């Protein structure tokens, strides 16, 4: 085993930026939750479940619970509601008869798109009062965050699949 270097201490500037970014999550969640609720889309947890299924495809209920950051019993409740609404279906796992795979239906795909549009519209309303120069800076910052946070994860997942 090769020795690894100790982690580099974060600068105060980096710590402040990290805290500021993390502080945005509850605010964004509230904007989205309000949009989802007002649009009759259920809960943010339901939308997250639909989004994961849309991106990852059919997966075991236990893995879905893990990805959503919830317990298997809470995920069972979410899945049951989504099944009742026709947004997902349960399939027996061919490799393990005790496990259940959850799959998004066409109606579920449509609901994910509909609720996603509600959330996008809510964010557009937030940006209504922002000036052109600030919007330009925001777009650049969002592109940078996407490159830093999303792109490396996507490339790691691609390497794992191959």
């Amino acid at each position: 085993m090769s020795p690894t270097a100790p982690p580099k201490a974060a600068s105060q500037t980096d710590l402040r930026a990290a805290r500021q970014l993390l502080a945005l999550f509850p605010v964004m969640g509230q904007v989205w939750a309000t949009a989802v609720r007002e649009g009759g889309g259920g809960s943010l947890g339901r939308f997250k479940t639909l989004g994961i299924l849309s991106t990852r495809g059919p997966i075991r209920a236990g893995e879905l619970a893990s990805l959503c950051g919830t317990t298997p019993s809470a995920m069972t409740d979410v899945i049951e509601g989504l099944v009742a609404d026709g947004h997902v279906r349960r399939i027996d796992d061919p490799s393990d008869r005790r496990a259940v795979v959850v799959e998004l239906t066409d109606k579920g795909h449509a609901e994910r798109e509909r609720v996603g549009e509600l959330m996008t519209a809510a964010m557009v309303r937030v940006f209504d009062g922002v000036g052109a120069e600030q919007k330009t800076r925001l777009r650049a910052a969002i592109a940078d965050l996407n490159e830093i946070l999303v792109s490396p994860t996507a490339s790691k997942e691609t390497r794992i699949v191959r």
Side-chain angles (χ1 to χ4, degrees):
M1 227 178 178
S2 64
T4 59
K8 184 177 123 183
S11 71
Q12 288 303 312
T13 303
D14 288 347
L15 288 171
R16 186 172 52 252
R19 288 182 185 120
Q20 288 173 326
L21 181 60
L22 292 172
L24 291 176
F25 293 161
V27 176
M28 298 279 293
Q30 187 59 47
V31 169
W32 290 343
T34 300
V36 170
R37 190 174 47 257
E38 289 175 355
S43 70
L44 197 54
R46 283 173 55 106
F47 180 77
K48 184 176 183 179
T49 302
L50 294 174
I52 290 170
L53 289 170
S54 177
T55 303
R56 307 241 345 201
I59 58 174
R60 288 183 176 188
E63 183 181 357
L64 187 55
S66 178
L67 290 169
C68 286
T70 190
T71 64
S73 61
M75 182 51 56
T76 297
D77 291 343
V78 170
I79 292 169
E80 286 182 14
L82 291 169
V83 167
D85 292 341
H87 296 145
V88 302
R89 67 178 141 259
R90 291 184 192 96
I91 304 167
D92 291 333
D93 187 336
S95 63
D96 182 353
R97 62 188 176 107
R98 297 168 298 167
V100 173
V101 173
V102 182
E103 178 180 56
L104 202 57
T105 63
D106 289 342
K107 186 176 179 183
H109 279 288
E111 179 66 0
R112 184 196 173 283
E113 289 296 317
R114 184 186 77 80
V115 175
E117 290 301 321
L118 293 171
M119 295 166 77
T120 299
M123 291 307 300
V124 167
R125 285 191 300 276
V126 168
F127 295 135
D128 276 347
V130 176
E133 183 181 324
Q134 192 173 17
K135 282 182 184 180
T136 299
R137 290 194 318 266
L138 280 169
R139 284 187 201 101
I142 291 167
D144 287 346
L145 284 169
N146 187 59
E147 185 178 317
I148 293 165
L149 297 174
V150 178
S151 297
T153 303
S155 64
K156 284 179 193 171
E157 288 177 2
T158 302
R159 284 195 302 269
I160 291 169
V161 171
R162 291 182 183 167

